Amino acid sequence: EQTMVHAVGGARVYGDFLPMADELHVTLVRGLYKGDTAFNLLANLNPERWQVESSFALTEQAEVLRFVRCDS
């Protein structure tokens, strides 16, 4: 039996859980924002391990991407 776990972070939580994930649901919001920490998920995803399974636009600046791991 599989258990679904949702990791809602900050940057450290995402970084810790990424190696264990089989699927990612990502909301990508385009723009520059002030903050004390950033986690650029797309820069941290190896394209040989992850592929976009589906996507849809929320607004002109935001879209939802569903990634699945290719090597699982």
Side-chain angles (χ1 to χ4, degrees):
E1 181 178 323
Q2 287 187 330
T3 300
M4 185 178 292
V5 175
H6 296 268
V8 180
R12 183 170 179 183
V13 172
Y14 294 138
D16 289 347
F17 276 88
L18 185 58
M20 297 179 270
D22 293 320
E23 186 174 324
L24 305 172
H25 295 257
V26 178
T27 303
L28 177 61
V29 181
R30 292 170 191 79
L32 298 175
Y33 303 94
K34 291 183 180 183
D36 61 356
T37 306
F39 182 74
N40 187 342
L41 176 69
L42 299 181
N44 285 282
L45 289 183
N46 179 342
E48 294 179 8
R49 294 187 71 192
W50 293 96
Q51 68 181 17
V52 175
E53 181 78 11
S54 61
S55 66
F56 63 91
L58 291 173
T59 68
E60 288 184 22
Q61 293 83 21
E63 69 180 304
V64 174
L65 304 166
R66 178 175 171 258
F67 291 89
V68 292
R69 200 165 77 188
C70 304
D71 63 351
S72 55

